[in-house]
Amino acid sequence: MHYGNLAISRQTKKAIEKLHARACSAGCVSHKTTACFSNSAFAAPLHIASSVCLFLFITPSLYAQDQGGSTLKNSQPSTTLPASAPDAFSFSIPAQNANEALTELAKQANTTLLFPFDLAKKVTTNALKGTFTLSEALAQLLEGTELAVVADENGALSIRSRASLTAQSKQTDDDEQQDDEGANGLEKIAIVGSRNAPRSAVDSAVPLDVIGADKLSSQGNSDVLSMLSVMVPSLNVNDQPINDASSLVRPANLRGMSSDHTLLLLNGKRRHRSAVITFLGGGLSDGAQGPDISVIPAYALKQVEVLRDGASAQYGSDAIAGVINFVLKDDREGGSVALKVGGYSEGDGELFQIQLNKGFGLGESGFLNATAEYRQQNGTSRSVQRGDAQMLIDQGNSFIASPSQIWGALDVSEDIKLALNAGADLSATSHFYSFATAARREINGGFYFRNPQTREGVFSRTDPNTGESRLIVADLDGLNSGIACPSISLSNDNVLEDPDYQLIADNTTALGANCFAFNEWFPGGFTPRFGGTITDASVAMGIKHELPKGWAMDISATLGYSDIEYTISNTVNPSLGPQSPTTFSPGGVSQVERTLNLDFTKLIQTIFDDPVSIAAGVEWRKETYFQKAGDEASYIAGPFALEPPVGLSEGFSIGSNGFPGYQPQSAGHWSRSNWAAYADVEFYVTEAWQLGLATRAEHFSDFGPTFDGKLSTRYTLSEEFALRGSVNTGFKAPTVGQSNVINVTTAYGVNGLEDQATLPPTDLISKQLGATPLKPEESVNFSLGVVMQASENFFATLDYFNIRLIDRISTTSAIPLTDNDVNALIAQGRPDAARYNSAKYFTNDFDTKTQGIDLVVNYNFALGDWSNSVLVAYNWTDTQVERVSLYPVLSDGEITLLPNLTEARIRMLEDNLPAHRGSITLEQSKNKWAMTWRLNYYGKFYEDHLDASAGLDIYGSALTTFDAQLAWNVLPDIQLTFGAQNIFDALPDENPFKGEVGALYPPTSPGGINGAFYYAGVEYSFK
């Protein structure tokens, strides 16, 4: 093999310098692998060793980065060359500085060495000439110097200072355990955000959180999305009790941005988005099509890296708020199985979860790591009786359920997640890797209550001219023929006691058999049950290959798939009358993404003292969005439909009530592809000044080219302080789904519950209401921060960020369809326009400025026999809508330009998420015991209740919750866990409009509405 210029990156030095001294003692000579980046090294506390170790790689491409920034081989398990290895090499090395001598020895032996760099610069070695094994060569080269060659119990070689050997021998096993348990949660090695060598959170030029698997598990949450929201204050996740498809895939908001402004990576590779579009996203995420984080099994994760900075120039579309990289476990042996049960203090939300992880060795150095999770969790109810339902009860209607409508967590009847991660060396210069995930989740929740006397289109019909409301009655033998049905006026009286209704309800008579009202089926009204089956899968594979002259290549392919099949039950298609089923399959949507990447990386020596990291690559990606028609009963216009264009006029609404099925004419699939070319450079201008530059050009088949850039820098002021900052441009391409989806749902408007259609901007109805084609969102981000590391046990980061986002894509507020609109659309061949009360469409509607501060402080200390770690994390975020689009509106015969966004909608964008969020976490450990205490703070928030823009304004107070967990290693391989989240059952202020639809608390309360959750678990680890 040929080698290029020898180059050692400063990031590599710093990363290794942060390893515990034990990592140096375990340092070894390895053949084509980064031996000291073993799992134990990652998990160890990152103290600065007294005998600093330098990882020296003769092939710079060993640290070549793929698109996501992952190193070529640091994901592999360690493979070391035993001291007794029979391989012999020919050496010719003169007596010289040990740094240079060991470099030359590694080059001539085609190996990788780890040695104390600072000491090696002061040591002169012996001359070495002849043929020797590696251990013989090292022993002769270092004989009589301050450096020694040591073999551990496995025969692995390490080069250490003789003084450190004495100090190391005095360290007890208890000390090692305390060091491990005292490791902080955020200061680890990360690979996201750079294609250069991995770095720690304090060495990064941009804000970066690195969260280990143990930190994710030190809480009661059972899915990774909720776990992350606890650990990262700038990541907000609201409950979505009754919010259409948003209830099935909850949107996550990083740094106050929409859910599709954060890009996901898995092992450094771009992950696909969810098929679900959040038509009702609680204001901020309205219309977003973001990723589904909850399908990733938390038990499969080695760590999670959260890059809180714009990164479109590095990773492409969607990376405006930041990037979250999920790193899968890569152990080649051992495993564990865990069982968790729990429930809320109200006696609901019972959880059962079982998790399994196992590592397998493949050949001498390869690995296969497999994870499986299974979860069931019952729903919760934080509801009161609706005011209108209570009125019916007071009138004597004894069929009303109590409560008539449920607000709370949805039922998860089945949640299965799988993950595989594998890698193996194909040759001395090639490495194969592959990983895959699969998930299936069945989830079910409620919709709005259908009042048996006021629900339009099912039970009643109101004359728009007189305002008179009448019971809708289906005349089964036809209008104006056969037996005539009575006309029944509706008032505040109980319609079930109306004599004419009783005639209809008596099916033993000819009139009763001919006349039908849905009150006969649902005398107390009904509440549809809405849910779906979510299927998600992805697979990636690639090869990393060392090229001549120090280059490295990474070629990979990924395939991602997201699908949801909707279900709705306990409802009807009213237009079918008594022939209507009560359970429907209204259709589904799918998202398929295919990605190919080719990356090249190299470290080169230039005029600067340190090498320059250069990376370049190309990417091809294709997205396809599918919309599948529902069963015929879910969308068909039955014989009793109110549809004047086809001569039907008995007054019943069309489609499965609550979520009408997708019609065949709206089904189909739409695709787009894009090409991207990108490059970045990182180097040190001086010893203290680090600089990075990234550029990316893309071309999309549907809207053309984009170009983005990023400049990042870090300046070391002293050993304790450094400044860092970045400026970058970004973009988010409109998704294929946003450009083509058609959806009808029932939501609250100014006039109450109504059917609202969300349509693509190219639809005829959308054009009638003023729609124009979508274009990409564009952003300009900058951040400025300070890093302080006073000692190996204390560090703090403080970062300010500012994101200006232009032409944000969202859905409009619901725009009423006037009679003139409907008539014009019917004349253009759209008779279905008569079905909709109002319509929404996707548009580039407004500009925003989001700014904020992130603070992270970590302190490790010992108190008696206890190891302690304190983590303080705080976020302040403020969003302001700076511009809104104006649309022509005809009012009193004059056309005026008005914004479509209502004041309430703007307020939701600005204030629905709390401006202030923070947490203080204390982790303590001693021998077999470990405890975690966490205080969470959620600031004030605003909620436009029901997204109705109808004056239902809620100004929520701040909320503080407290979590606690105790873990006990009852046996070396068995750990018991007991804990509680929100242990004191803190709840938000009661909803001042709780009688409106029965929500006891504001549904979007940032601290949740379910109260205290208690849990217990047991974990068994095996070798």
Side-chain angles (χ1 to χ4, degrees), residues 601-846:
T601 53
K602 184 180 181 181
L603 290 171
I604 61 173
Q605 202 68 47
T606 65
I607 60 173
F608 301 106
D609 291 338
D610 285 83
V612 174
S613 168
I614 61 174
V618 293
E619 177 182 274
W620 174 84
R621 189 158 49 95
K622 184 176 182 180
E623 298 180 53
T624 304
Y625 182 80
F626 297 82
Q627 185 161 293
K628 294 163 281 186
D631 57 42
E632 186 180 47
S634 70
Y635 64 79
I636 192 172
F640 309 105
L642 173 63
E643 193 169 351
V646 295
L648 304 175
S649 57
E650 294 210 21
F652 289 96
S653 61
I654 299 168
S656 46
N657 193 259
F659 195 96
Y662 295 131
Q663 301 178 51
Q665 57 266 36
S666 66
H669 66 277
W670 304 269
S671 298
R672 72 124 175 265
S673 60
N674 70 287
W675 285 92
Y678 43 89
D680 58 49
V681 178
E682 291 188 24
F683 59 96
Y684 276 79
V685 180
T686 66
E687 178 75 14
W689 185 16
Q690 174 191 348
L691 200 63
L693 177 65
T695 59
R696 186 181 185 97
E698 295 205 32
H699 187 280
F700 290 80
S701 60
D702 52 355
F703 62 79
T706 67
F707 180 83
D708 289 280
K710 179 174 182 176
L711 176 67
S712 60
T713 187
R714 185 180 188 276
Y715 188 82
T716 302
L717 299 173
S718 64
E719 291 185 359
E720 292 82 18
F721 290 95
L723 296 177
R724 65 184 181 186
S726 71
V727 59
N728 62 85
T729 61
F731 74 101
K732 193 197 83 67
T735 71
V736 184
Q738 290 171 328
S739 299
N740 296 282
V741 71
I742 298 175
N743 185 74
V744 180
T745 190
T746 304
Y748 261 81
V750 176
N751 299 317
L753 209 58
E754 63 182 23
D755 290 336
Q756 296 178 357
T758 303
L759 305 170
T762 54
D763 188 273
L764 204 58
I765 296 177
S766 302
K767 290 181 178 179
Q768 178 70 23
L769 298 175
T772 56
L774 292 177
K775 56 185 177 180
E777 301 176 342
E778 297 182 352
S779 69
V780 177
N781 301 22
F782 74 86
S783 65
L784 181 64
V786 60
V787 177
M788 179 179 71
Q789 186 161 22
S791 69
E792 62 187 63
N793 294 319
F794 180 90
F795 80 85
T797 63
L798 177 65
D799 295 278
Y800 168 80
F801 63 91
N802 186 297
I803 307 170
R804 289 184 178 271
L805 190 51
I806 301 170
D807 292 328
R808 287 185 65 162
I809 298 172
S810 181
T811 56
T812 65
S813 300
I815 304 173
L817 281 168
T818 66
D819 291 340
N820 290 336
D821 290 328
V822 172
N823 292 334
L825 289 164
I826 292 173
Q828 297 177 65
R830 286 298 300 272
D832 62 314
R835 301 183 184 185
Y836 310 133
N837 305 102
S838 60
K840 303 190 293 184
Y841 56 85
F842 289 94
T843 183
N844 299 92
D845 211 21
F846 56 98

Side-chain angles (χ1 to χ4, degrees), residues 221-239:
N221 289 309
S222 57
D223 70 275
V224 71
L225 176 58
S226 299
M227 293 175 182
L228 284 177
S229 69
V230 171
M231 300 301 299
V232 183
S234 58
L235 180 67
N236 288 273
V237 182
N238 288 336
D239 289 327

Side-chain angles (χ1 to χ4, degrees), residues 231-272:
M231 300 301 299
V232 183
S234 58
L235 180 67
N236 288 273
V237 182
N238 288 336
D239 289 327
Q240 303 284 337
I242 301 178
N243 235 5
D244 203 64
S246 305
S247 301
L248 310 183
V249 178
R250 294 183 300 160
N253 308 111
L254 180 65
R255 282 192 158 182
M257 307 302 291
S258 178
S259 60
D260 55 2
H261 291 143
T262 301
L263 178 65
L264 292 196
L265 304 177
L266 185 63
N267 277 1
K269 300 297 182 182
R270 186 185 183 101
R271 188 165 171 84
H272 61 280

Side-chain angles (χ1 to χ4, degrees), residues 448-468:
Y448 290 103
F449 169 65
R450 269 54 179 173
N451 188 302
Q453 294 188 194
T454 62
R455 179 60 174 118
E456 291 284 297
V458 183
F459 298 105
S460 66
R461 176 66 66 188
T462 301
D463 189 315
N465 298 317
T466 65
E468 181 184 12

Side-chain angles (χ1 to χ4, degrees), residues 155 157 289 308 333 379 556 906 937:
L157 297 176
Q289 187 182 0
R308 293 176 277 112
E333 60 184 8
S556 64
I906 293 174
Y937 176 79

